[in-house]
Amino acid sequence: MSMMKQLQRNAVIEQLKKLGIHSIDGQPLSEVLYTTLLKTLALKRAAQDCKGR
């Protein structure tokens, strides 16, 4: 994995952790597919946006 992709992945993991998500389907975030991390982050942000309105 390239350095840039690893940095992007780490940034997404950090954002999820700040939102209180530390695992997905029982797997640590470090073992979850990147696309699943992105989808989970998008869903969490969308849910927060709906609450804020």
Side-chain angles (χ1 to χ4, degrees):
M1 183 180 302
S2 74
M3 179 72 128
M4 183 59 99
K5 286 185 181 182
Q6 187 62 42
L7 290 172
Q8 290 172 329
R9 179 180 176 80
N10 289 344
V12 172
I13 289 173
E14 286 304 312
Q15 290 177 54
L16 287 169
K17 286 180 179 178
K18 287 179 185 176
L19 294 170
I21 299 172
H22 299 280
S23 65
I24 298 174
D25 294 333
Q27 289 188 312
L29 298 179
S30 61
E31 295 179 13
V32 176
L33 290 174
Y34 183 63
T35 53
T36 303
L37 294 172
L38 289 175
K39 182 174 112 177
T40 303
L41 181 59
L43 290 171
K44 185 71 171 177
R45 284 182 176 168
Q48 285 186 329
D49 287 347
C50 288
K51 288 180 186 176
R53 292 181 183 181

